[in-house]
Every structure is written in structure tokens, then in C-alpha cells.
């Protein structure tokens, strides 16, 4: 296998150590000797505060960057292998049914702490790591039955945890250097790649609208999570906000009678994206794909003041004095969510870390 010329050149120029090596020391080098810790003086503050940050490789250091990416990918693959699979979940359900403590008249299957501990003793190691005594009492807080849990609540918790961790690992694959952040282009690639798995979207999505759908989803995520306009968001924030759960809900086939409910409850549905896009097209009177100041003045009931419009076009990115669809999305979400709202509820009772 031949290496690319760029990689070969990078290896040739690779700086293994920033310190120069004396010829005398190089002559006494023993390749068979065990490795020793590098001699060097650390900063005095390390005695009180341990070193906790290692900067990522620079873009021009291609070899280290590729090595870093490969190590990050292998780490994520190992994390994915530790997740519960369908067989593990089936075994968990059978074990929960085996140790049901009581069945109510409404056929709700309940388990007490003793039964729960018997379940823990029989399930696999993967389940046992999660199913702690602390989890039992944590779920008991929301239980409608004194000292007992519905076995379906335990199963649903485990399933939700698996799906969210899967989502976090999936997002992390787009964080090539493993810093825990994603920028807009990273999220765009993630959304584009998972569209075929979102049945409620892929069945109705026209190829000509795909880029607009992706743009709408990405802008909505960044509007709610990138409050400081850093143009990057933490992966843990995407997971813990509940936005990822809402997006992945579109994998399930929608029931026709629930279409209206999906439109109002899921921000990433096709109906929600089309509503925003149609609003944009209605304002674009000359059909040039851009919004002028005059066209934007007709937004809503046409009550936007001259001062407001002047300020909007002053702070928003425009092209030749006109607003494109991406900029319009920032404007639209800001106008639709002017009131301070409690936007998200915790998606589960466990931490997303």
C-alpha cells in the first residue's frame, strides 16, 4: 500500500520533539531499552493543579491529526459496543416479567425492591451497570404505586438511555478531534446523513427541498442552544436539551390521524419546516430567492416599524441589501420566540454526561 505524497511529506517533516538532540546522546541511543519518562521541568502550579488540558494537533500537523482522529473513532466504537442491543433488551423484559411482585386489576405489572434486586442479579453485566439501587428510588419518585415500580417504566428508562447514548455517540463521530463541540457544518452533515432513517421526513422530502430542510433544522438547534453566538454548541447540550430526542422521534412511522399533533409538537417535522419555507416564499414577491427591506416589511400583519426594519437589516447579514433564507431563519425564530419560555424539559432522569 502506497502512502499519499502529502502524508509522506508530513512524516518526513514530523517534529518528534521540540528539543534538539545532541549527536553524542544520539550515538548512545539503545533501541531495545525500555521507555523512560521524559525529563523536563513542569510548571510549579502543577503541584497544586494537575494538567487537565491538552491542545488538539494543529491543522498543519497532519500525521498527529490523523492519529488523533483514528483514536477518537476507535474510542467511540468501543463505547457503541458497550450499549445494550435488542437481545439484551428482550432478556431484560423477560426477566422483569419473571419477578413481577403484583399485577393490578388494570393489568399493570409491578415490582418491589426485592424483586428488582433479583432482576439485577440475573441480567447481564451491561444492564447491571445501569440498574442500581439508586435508580430504583429515583424512578420511585414518579411512581403512582407506593414502594413499587411498573416494570414498563424500568424498561422505558433503559430504552431511552440507550437511544440517547446512541445519539450522542452518533453526534460525536462528527466531532473529528474530540473536543465535545459541533459547528454548523458538522451538524449539517449529521442531519443530512440521518435523513434516510427519519421515515416521517424521508417519505415526504423532495430532493429540491432537502438543503432547505437541513438548513431549517440546523438553524433552529443553534437558535436555542448557541445563546452566545459562538457558532458552535456542546454535544452534551444537544442531548440534554431534548432536541435530539425530538429529532429521532421522526424515525417512527407516523399515524395519519396524528399528523396535526406531530406538526404542533415536533419542531423538526416536515410540516413545521414547510410552514417556515412557505412563509419565506410568500414574502418573496419578485421570486429572486432573496428578501428586500420592502418585502420583509410585510411579515406577519405588516406592523413592523421603519426603525425596526432599519435595525434588522443593520445587524443581520445581507447580500446587496437583501436577506437570504438562512438569515431569514434567524429573524423568523427570533420573532416567533420573543417571550422567555421554559423551552425544554429533561428528556430522562439521567445525566447526559
Amino acid at each position: 500500500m502506497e502512502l499519499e505524497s502529502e502524508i509522506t511529506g508530513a512524516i518526513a517533516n514530523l517534529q518528534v520533539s521540540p528539543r534538539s538532540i545532541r549527536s553524542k546522546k544520539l550515538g548512545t541511543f539503545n533501541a531495545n531499552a525500555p521507555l523512560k519518562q521524559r525529563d523536563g521541568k513542569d510548571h510549579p502550579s502543577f503541584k497544586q493543579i494537575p494538567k487537565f488540558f491538552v491542545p488538539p494537533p494543529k491543522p498543519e500537523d497532519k500525521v498527529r491529526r490523523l492519529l488523533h482522529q483514528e483514536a477518537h473513532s476507535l474510542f467511540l466504537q468501543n463505547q457503541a459496543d458497550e450499549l445494550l442491543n435488542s437481545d439484551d433488551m428482550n432478556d431484560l423484559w423477560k426477566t422483569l416479567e419473571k419477578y413481577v411482585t403484583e399485577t393490578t386489576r388494570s393489568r399493570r405489572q409491578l415490582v418491589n425492591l426485592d424483586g428488582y434486586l433479583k432482576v439485577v442479579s440475573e441480567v447481564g453485566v451491561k444492564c447491571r451497570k445501569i440498574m442500581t439501587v439508586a435508580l430504583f428510588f429515583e424512578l420511585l419518585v414518579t411512581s403512582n404505586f407506593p414502594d413499587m415500580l411498573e416494570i414498563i417504566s424500568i424498561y422505558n428508562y433503559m430504552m431511552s438511555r440507550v437511544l440517547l447514548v446512541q445519539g450522542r455517540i452518533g453526534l460525536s463521530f462528527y466531532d473529528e478531534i474530540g473536543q465535545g463541540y459541533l459547528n454548523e457544518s458538522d451538524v449539517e452533515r449529521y442531519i443530512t446523513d440521518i435523513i434516510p432513517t427519519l421515515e416521517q421526513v424521508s417519505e415526504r422530502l423532495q430532493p429540491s427541498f432537502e438543503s432547505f430542510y437541513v438548513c431549517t433544522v440546523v438553524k433552529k438547534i443553534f437558535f436555542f442552544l448557541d445563546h452566545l453566538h459562538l457558532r458552535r454548541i456542546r454535544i452534551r447540550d444537544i442531548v440534554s436539551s431534548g432536541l435530539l430526542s425530538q429529532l429521532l422521534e421522526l424515525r417512527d412511522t407516523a399515524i395519519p390521524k396524528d399528523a396535526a399533533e406531530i406538526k404542533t409538537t415536533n419542531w423538526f417535522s416536515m410540516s413545521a419546516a414547510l410552514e417556515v419555507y412557505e412563509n419565506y416564499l410568500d414574502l418573496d414577491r419578485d421570486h429572486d430567492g432573496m428578501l428586500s427591506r420592502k418585502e420583509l416589511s410585510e411579515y406577519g400583519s405588516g406592523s413592523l416599524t421603519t426603525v425596526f426594519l432599519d435595525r434588522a437589516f443593520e445587524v443581520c447579514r445581507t447580500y446587496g441589501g437583501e436577506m437570504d433564507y438562512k438569515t431569514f431563519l434567524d429573524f423568523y425564530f427570533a420573532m416567533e420566540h420573543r417571550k422567555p419560555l421554559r423551552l425544554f424539559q429533561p428528556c430522562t432522569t439521567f445525566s447526559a454526561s
Side-chain angles (χ1 to χ4, degrees):
M1 181 181 68
E2 295 184 2
L3 295 175
E4 296 181 5
S5 58
E6 293 184 2
I7 302 300
T8 306
I11 294 175
N13 298 323
L14 180 63
Q15 297 293 326
V16 179
S17 173
R19 301 174 300 164
S20 59
I21 303 176
R22 297 178 182 178
S23 57
K24 182 179 180 181
K25 189 172 183 180
L26 188 61
T28 59
F29 176 73
N30 182 7
N32 298 320
L35 294 175
K36 297 180 180 179
Q37 187 173 0
R38 180 179 66 86
D39 295 331
K41 295 181 180 180
D42 289 329
H43 194 276
S45 65
F46 288 173
K47 294 181 179 179
Q48 287 77 33
I49 304 174
K51 189 175 182 179
F52 58 87
F53 174 72
V54 178
K58 297 179 180 180
E60 58 268 18
D61 194 349
K62 294 183 179 180
V63 173
R64 281 196 175 89
R65 198 170 182 85
L66 287 172
L67 178 62
H68 194 90
Q69 292 174 3
E70 185 65 22
H72 180 58
S73 178
L74 289 174
F75 170 77
L76 293 175
Q77 189 60 54
N78 290 335
Q79 292 292 308
D81 293 340
E82 290 296 319
L83 290 176
L84 300 175
N85 54 36
S86 57
D87 292 335
D88 295 326
M89 295 303 297
N90 289 335
D91 292 340
L92 172 61
W93 180 251
K94 291 177 182 178
T95 309
L96 285 169
E97 286 187 314
K98 179 180 177 181
Y99 291 104
V100 169
T101 305
E102 179 184 335
T103 303
T104 66
R105 293 181 179 179
S106 56
R107 297 183 180 178
R108 294 187 177 184
Q109 297 173 302
L110 309 177
V111 63
N112 59 16
L113 180 59
D114 291 335
Y116 176 84
L117 293 175
K118 292 178 181 177
V119 172
V120 173
S121 65
E122 285 199 15
V123 294
V125 177
K126 295 179 182 179
C127 285
R128 207 174 301 145
K129 290 180 180 179
I130 306 171
M131 296 180 65
T132 61
V133 175
L135 174 62
F136 180 87
F137 288 103
E138 196 172 346
L139 296 177
L140 194 62
V141 173
T142 57
S143 175
N144 296 323
F145 303 91
D147 302 325
M148 288 192 286
L149 295 176
E150 291 187 69
I151 63 172
I152 190 64
S153 67
I154 302 173
Y155 183 85
N156 287 342
Y157 172 87
M158 299 291 285
M159 180 63 73
S160 298
R161 185 185 179 97
V162 169
L163 292 177
L164 284 178
V165 175
Q166 278 181 343
R168 177 163 186 171
I169 292 174
L171 285 168
S172 297
F173 273 109
Y174 294 83
D175 173 26
E176 294 183 349
I177 56 176
Q179 294 299 292
Y181 293 91
L182 295 178
N183 57 34
E184 285 195 13
S185 61
D186 296 329
V187 181
E188 283 178 359
R189 288 189 292 118
Y190 173 74
I191 300 300
T192 302
D193 290 344
I194 68 168
I195 281 179
T197 68
L198 307 178
E199 292 191 14
Q200 296 179 35
V201 174
S202 59
E203 291 178 355
R204 301 174 54 192
L205 184 64
Q206 298 296 324
S208 59
F209 184 67
E210 180 175 329
S211 61
F212 293 98
Y213 174 80
V214 172
C215 180
T216 304
V217 172
V218 172
K219 281 292 184 180
K220 186 167 284 189
I221 292 174
F222 271 79
F223 175 79
F224 289 114
L225 299 182
D226 185 23
H227 305 297
L228 300 178
H229 303 287
L230 300 176
R231 296 186 179 180
R232 66 176 189 178
I233 48 181
R234 297 193 307 172
I235 293 175
R236 106 185 302 180
D237 290 341
I238 301 176
V239 176
S240 61
S241 68
L243 291 175
L244 181 64
S245 298
Q246 229 181 69
L247 179 64
L248 298 182
E249 281 176 5
L250 300 175
R251 289 177 173 176
D252 301 328
T253 304
I255 303 174
K257 67 178 181 179
D258 294 337
E261 182 181 350
I262 292 171
K263 175 182 175 181
T264 56
T265 58
N266 197 308
W267 287 347
F268 306 117
S269 65
M270 273 296 295
S271 300
L274 285 171
E275 182 179 348
V276 181
Y277 186 63
E278 289 171 359
N279 202 326
Y280 180 76
L281 294 180
D282 290 341
L283 293 172
D284 185 18
R285 299 294 185 180
D286 57 5
H287 306 292
D288 65 345
M290 305 286 283
L291 296 183
S292 65
R293 185 179 177 283
K294 181 179 179 181
E295 289 171 332
L296 188 64
S297 66
E298 298 179 13
Y299 175 82
S301 59
S303 59
L304 300 180
T305 65
T306 303
V307 175
F308 179 87
L309 289 169
D310 290 342
R311 185 58 176 163
F313 274 82
E314 181 180 338
V315 299
C316 293
R317 176 179 293 181
T318 57
Y319 303 87
E322 293 189 325
M323 187 180 290
D324 68 347
Y325 183 62
K326 284 189 174 182
T327 306
F328 172 75
L329 288 173
D330 292 330
F331 171 84
Y332 178 85
F333 295 139
M335 293 296 292
E336 292 297 310
H337 302 280
R338 285 172 287 178
K339 296 181 180 180
L341 299 175
R342 187 177 180 183
L343 297 174
F344 311 114
Q345 297 290 339
C347 41
T348 59
T349 56
F350 65 92
S351 170
S353 59

